[in-house]
mmCIF file with all atom_site columns, all heavy atoms in Angstrom:
data_model
loop_
_atom_site.group_PDB
_atom_site.id
_atom_site.type_symbol
_atom_site.label_atom_id
_atom_site.label_alt_id
_atom_site.label_comp_id
_atom_site.label_asym_id
_atom_site.label_entity_id
_atom_site.label_seq_id
_atom_site.pdbx_PDB_ins_code
_atom_site.Cartn_x
_atom_site.Cartn_y
_atom_site.Cartn_z
_atom_site.occupancy
_atom_site.B_iso_or_equiv
_atom_site.pdbx_formal_charge
_atom_site.auth_seq_id
_atom_site.auth_comp_id
_atom_site.auth_asym_id
_atom_site.auth_atom_id
_atom_site.pdbx_PDB_model_num
ATOM 1   N N   . ALA A 1 69 ? 50.132 2.011   6.910  1.00 0.00 ? 69 ALA A N   1
ATOM 2   C CA  . ALA A 1 69 ? 50.407 0.587   7.097  1.00 0.00 ? 69 ALA A CA  1
ATOM 3   C C   . ALA A 1 69 ? 49.172 -0.238  6.733  1.00 0.00 ? 69 ALA A C   1
ATOM 4   O O   . ALA A 1 69 ? 49.289 -1.325  6.156  1.00 0.00 ? 69 ALA A O   1
ATOM 5   C CB  . ALA A 1 69 ? 50.828 0.314   8.547  1.00 0.00 ? 69 ALA A CB  1
ATOM 6   N N   . GLU A 1 70 ? 48.000 0.278   7.051  1.00 0.00 ? 70 GLU A N   1
ATOM 7   C CA  . GLU A 1 70 ? 46.757 -0.423  6.707  1.00 0.00 ? 70 GLU A CA  1
ATOM 8   C C   . GLU A 1 70 ? 46.557 -0.475  5.193  1.00 0.00 ? 70 GLU A C   1
ATOM 9   O O   . GLU A 1 70 ? 46.104 -1.483  4.654  1.00 0.00 ? 70 GLU A O   1
ATOM 10  C CB  . GLU A 1 70 ? 45.555 0.248   7.371  1.00 0.00 ? 70 GLU A CB  1
ATOM 11  C CG  . GLU A 1 70 ? 45.546 0.159   8.878  1.00 0.00 ? 70 GLU A CG  1
ATOM 12  C CD  . GLU A 1 70 ? 45.197 -1.233  9.400  1.00 0.00 ? 70 GLU A CD  1
ATOM 13  O OE1 . GLU A 1 70 ? 44.822 -2.126  8.608  1.00 0.00 ? 70 GLU A OE1 1
ATOM 14  O OE2 . GLU A 1 70 ? 45.316 -1.416  10.620 1.00 0.00 ? 70 GLU A OE2 1
ATOM 15  N N   . VAL A 1 71 ? 46.898 0.617   4.540  1.00 0.00 ? 71 VAL A N   1
ATOM 16  C CA  . VAL A 1 71 ? 46.806 0.626   3.073  1.00 0.00 ? 71 VAL A CA  1
ATOM 17  C C   . VAL A 1 71 ? 47.716 -0.453  2.499  1.00 0.00 ? 71 VAL A C   1
ATOM 18  O O   . VAL A 1 71 ? 47.326 -1.221  1.606  1.00 0.00 ? 71 VAL A O   1
ATOM 19  C CB  . VAL A 1 71 ? 47.179 2.016   2.506  1.00 0.00 ? 71 VAL A CB  1
ATOM 20  C CG1 . VAL A 1 71 ? 47.408 1.943   0.997  1.00 0.00 ? 71 VAL A CG1 1
ATOM 21  C CG2 . VAL A 1 71 ? 46.089 3.025   2.823  1.00 0.00 ? 71 VAL A CG2 1
ATOM 22  N N   . ALA A 1 72 ? 48.936 -0.529  3.021  1.00 0.00 ? 72 ALA A N   1
ATOM 23  C CA  . ALA A 1 72 ? 49.895 -1.525  2.526  1.00 0.00 ? 72 ALA A CA  1
ATOM 24  C C   . ALA A 1 72 ? 49.406 -2.942  2.804  1.00 0.00 ? 72 ALA A C   1
ATOM 25  O O   . ALA A 1 72 ? 49.590 -3.848  1.979  1.00 0.00 ? 72 ALA A O   1
ATOM 26  C CB  . ALA A 1 72 ? 51.261 -1.298  3.161  1.00 0.00 ? 72 ALA A CB  1
ATOM 27  N N   . ALA A 1 73 ? 48.753 -3.141  3.942  1.00 0.00 ? 73 ALA A N   1
ATOM 28  C CA  . ALA A 1 73 ? 48.252 -4.477  4.287  1.00 0.00 ? 73 ALA A CA  1
ATOM 29  C C   . ALA A 1 73 ? 47.088 -4.883  3.381  1.00 0.00 ? 73 ALA A C   1
ATOM 30  O O   . ALA A 1 73 ? 46.871 -6.068  3.130  1.00 0.00 ? 73 ALA A O   1
ATOM 31  C CB  . ALA A 1 73 ? 47.816 -4.507  5.750  1.00 0.00 ? 73 ALA A CB  1
ATOM 32  N N   . ALA A 1 74 ? 46.330 -3.896  2.919  1.00 0.00 ? 74 ALA A N   1
ATOM 33  C CA  . ALA A 1 74 ? 45.272 -4.064  1.916  1.00 0.00 ? 74 ALA A CA  1
ATOM 34  C C   . ALA A 1 74 ? 44.001 -4.756  2.418  1.00 0.00 ? 74 ALA A C   1
ATOM 35  O O   . ALA A 1 74 ? 43.026 -4.828  1.685  1.00 0.00 ? 74 ALA A O   1
ATOM 36  C CB  . ALA A 1 74 ? 45.787 -4.796  0.664  1.00 0.00 ? 74 ALA A CB  1
ATOM 37  N N   . TYR A 1 75 ? 43.990 -5.230  3.648  1.00 0.00 ? 75 TYR A N   1
ATOM 38  C CA  . TYR A 1 75 ? 42.813 -5.962  4.140  1.00 0.00 ? 75 TYR A CA  1
ATOM 39  C C   . TYR A 1 75 ? 41.561 -5.075  4.119  1.00 0.00 ? 75 TYR A C   1
ATOM 40  O O   . TYR A 1 75 ? 40.476 -5.524  3.721  1.00 0.00 ? 75 TYR A O   1
ATOM 41  C CB  . TYR A 1 75 ? 43.074 -6.471  5.553  1.00 0.00 ? 75 TYR A CB  1
ATOM 42  C CG  . TYR A 1 75 ? 42.028 -7.429  6.075  1.00 0.00 ? 75 TYR A CG  1
ATOM 43  C CD1 . TYR A 1 75 ? 42.180 -8.809  5.945  1.00 0.00 ? 75 TYR A CD1 1
ATOM 44  C CD2 . TYR A 1 75 ? 40.871 -6.956  6.710  1.00 0.00 ? 75 TYR A CD2 1
ATOM 45  C CE1 . TYR A 1 75 ? 41.224 -9.692  6.411  1.00 0.00 ? 75 TYR A CE1 1
ATOM 46  C CE2 . TYR A 1 75 ? 39.903 -7.831  7.178  1.00 0.00 ? 75 TYR A CE2 1
ATOM 47  C CZ  . TYR A 1 75 ? 40.081 -9.192  7.041  1.00 0.00 ? 75 TYR A CZ  1
ATOM 48  O OH  . TYR A 1 75 ? 39.130 -10.071 7.504  1.00 0.00 ? 75 TYR A OH  1
ATOM 49  N N   . TRP A 1 76 ? 41.718 -3.807  4.554  1.00 0.00 ? 76 TRP A N   1
ATOM 50  C CA  . TRP A 1 76 ? 40.560 -2.909  4.643  1.00 0.00 ? 76 TRP A CA  1
ATOM 51  C C   . TRP A 1 76 ? 40.477 -1.922  3.494  1.00 0.00 ? 76 TRP A C   1
ATOM 52  O O   . TRP A 1 76 ? 39.762 -0.928  3.575  1.00 0.00 ? 76 TRP A O   1
ATOM 53  C CB  . TRP A 1 76 ? 40.558 -2.171  5.997  1.00 0.00 ? 76 TRP A CB  1
ATOM 54  C CG  . TRP A 1 76 ? 40.251 -3.075  7.136  1.00 0.00 ? 76 TRP A CG  1
ATOM 55  C CD1 . TRP A 1 76 ? 41.085 -3.458  8.144  1.00 0.00 ? 76 TRP A CD1 1
ATOM 56  C CD2 . TRP A 1 76 ? 38.999 -3.751  7.379  1.00 0.00 ? 76 TRP A CD2 1
ATOM 57  N NE1 . TRP A 1 76 ? 40.445 -4.328  8.990  1.00 0.00 ? 76 TRP A NE1 1
ATOM 58  C CE2 . TRP A 1 76 ? 39.176 -4.527  8.556  1.00 0.00 ? 76 TRP A CE2 1
ATOM 59  C CE3 . TRP A 1 76 ? 37.769 -3.784  6.723  1.00 0.00 ? 76 TRP A CE3 1
ATOM 60  C CZ2 . TRP A 1 76 ? 38.147 -5.316  9.076  1.00 0.00 ? 76 TRP A CZ2 1
ATOM 61  C CZ3 . TRP A 1 76 ? 36.745 -4.573  7.246  1.00 0.00 ? 76 TRP A CZ3 1
ATOM 62  C CH2 . TRP A 1 76 ? 36.938 -5.320  8.411  1.00 0.00 ? 76 TRP A CH2 1
ATOM 63  N N   . ASN A 1 77 ? 41.202 -2.183  2.406  1.00 0.00 ? 77 ASN A N   1
ATOM 64  C CA  . ASN A 1 77 ? 41.010 -1.363  1.206  1.00 0.00 ? 77 ASN A CA  1
ATOM 65  C C   . ASN A 1 77 ? 39.715 -1.814  0.527  1.00 0.00 ? 77 ASN A C   1
ATOM 66  O O   . ASN A 1 77 ? 39.525 -2.992  0.247  1.00 0.00 ? 77 ASN A O   1
ATOM 67  C CB  . ASN A 1 77 ? 42.181 -1.537  0.239  1.00 0.00 ? 77 ASN A CB  1
ATOM 68  C CG  . ASN A 1 77 ? 43.481 -0.928  0.757  1.00 0.00 ? 77 ASN A CG  1
ATOM 69  O OD1 . ASN A 1 77 ? 43.474 -0.193  1.743  1.00 0.00 ? 77 ASN A OD1 1
ATOM 70  N ND2 . ASN A 1 77 ? 44.583 -1.248  0.118  1.00 0.00 ? 77 ASN A ND2 1
ATOM 71  N N   . CYS A 1 78 ? 38.836 -0.880  0.276  1.00 0.00 ? 78 CYS A N   1
ATOM 72  C CA  . CYS A 1 78 ? 37.522 -1.208  -0.295 1.00 0.00 ? 78 CYS A CA  1
ATOM 73  C C   . CYS A 1 78 ? 37.621 -1.663  -1.749 1.00 0.00 ? 78 CYS A C   1
ATOM 74  O O   . CYS A 1 78 ? 38.292 -1.002  -2.540 1.00 0.00 ? 78 CYS A O   1
ATOM 75  C CB  . CYS A 1 78 ? 36.629 0.027   -0.196 1.00 0.00 ? 78 CYS A CB  1
ATOM 76  S SG  . CYS A 1 78 ? 34.883 -0.324  -0.529 1.00 0.00 ? 78 CYS A SG  1
ATOM 77  N N   . PRO A 1 79 ? 37.006 -2.762  -2.108 1.00 0.00 ? 79 PRO A N   1
ATOM 78  C CA  . PRO A 1 79 ? 36.214 -3.660  -1.267 1.00 0.00 ? 79 PRO A CA  1
ATOM 79  C C   . PRO A 1 79 ? 37.132 -4.535  -0.398 1.00 0.00 ? 79 PRO A C   1
ATOM 80  O O   . PRO A 1 79 ? 38.043 -5.176  -0.908 1.00 0.00 ? 79 PRO A O   1
ATOM 81  C CB  . PRO A 1 79 ? 35.439 -4.505  -2.285 1.00 0.00 ? 79 PRO A CB  1
ATOM 82  C CG  . PRO A 1 79 ? 36.285 -4.494  -3.523 1.00 0.00 ? 79 PRO A CG  1
ATOM 83  C CD  . PRO A 1 79 ? 36.977 -3.166  -3.532 1.00 0.00 ? 79 PRO A CD  1
ATOM 84  N N   . CYS A 1 80 ? 36.833 -4.523  0.882  1.00 0.00 ? 80 CYS A N   1
ATOM 85  C CA  . CYS A 1 80 ? 37.683 -5.200  1.865  1.00 0.00 ? 80 CYS A CA  1
ATOM 86  C C   . CYS A 1 80 ? 37.564 -6.732  1.727  1.00 0.00 ? 80 CYS A C   1
ATOM 87  O O   . CYS A 1 80 ? 36.705 -7.253  1.001  1.00 0.00 ? 80 CYS A O   1
ATOM 88  C CB  . CYS A 1 80 ? 37.266 -4.765  3.262  1.00 0.00 ? 80 CYS A CB  1
ATOM 89  S SG  . CYS A 1 80 ? 35.555 -5.165  3.653  1.00 0.00 ? 80 CYS A SG  1
ATOM 90  N N   . VAL A 1 81 ? 38.415 -7.414  2.470  1.00 0.00 ? 81 VAL A N   1
ATOM 91  C CA  . VAL A 1 81 ? 38.412 -8.880  2.406  1.00 0.00 ? 81 VAL A CA  1
ATOM 92  C C   . VAL A 1 81 ? 37.062 -9.471  2.839  1.00 0.00 ? 81 VAL A C   1
ATOM 93  O O   . VAL A 1 81 ? 36.531 -10.362 2.158  1.00 0.00 ? 81 VAL A O   1
ATOM 94  C CB  . VAL A 1 81 ? 39.583 -9.465  3.224  1.00 0.00 ? 81 VAL A CB  1
ATOM 95  C CG1 . VAL A 1 81 ? 39.456 -10.977 3.349  1.00 0.00 ? 81 VAL A CG1 1
ATOM 96  C CG2 . VAL A 1 81 ? 40.909 -9.092  2.548  1.00 0.00 ? 81 VAL A CG2 1
ATOM 97  N N   . PRO A 1 82 ? 36.453 -9.021  3.946  1.00 0.00 ? 82 PRO A N   1
ATOM 98  C CA  . PRO A 1 82 ? 35.142 -9.588  4.306  1.00 0.00 ? 82 PRO A CA  1
ATOM 99  C C   . PRO A 1 82 ? 34.096 -9.422  3.205  1.00 0.00 ? 82 PRO A C   1
ATOM 100 O O   . PRO A 1 82 ? 33.264 -10.307 2.980  1.00 0.00 ? 82 PRO A O   1
ATOM 101 C CB  . PRO A 1 82 ? 34.756 -8.796  5.572  1.00 0.00 ? 82 PRO A CB  1
ATOM 102 C CG  . PRO A 1 82 ? 36.065 -8.402  6.166  1.00 0.00 ? 82 PRO A CG  1
ATOM 103 C CD  . PRO A 1 82 ? 36.956 -8.108  4.989  1.00 0.00 ? 82 PRO A CD  1
#
Side-chain angles (χ1 to χ4, degrees):
E70 294 286 353
V71 166
Y75 190 94
W76 290 113
N77 291 349
C78 192
C80 60
V81 171

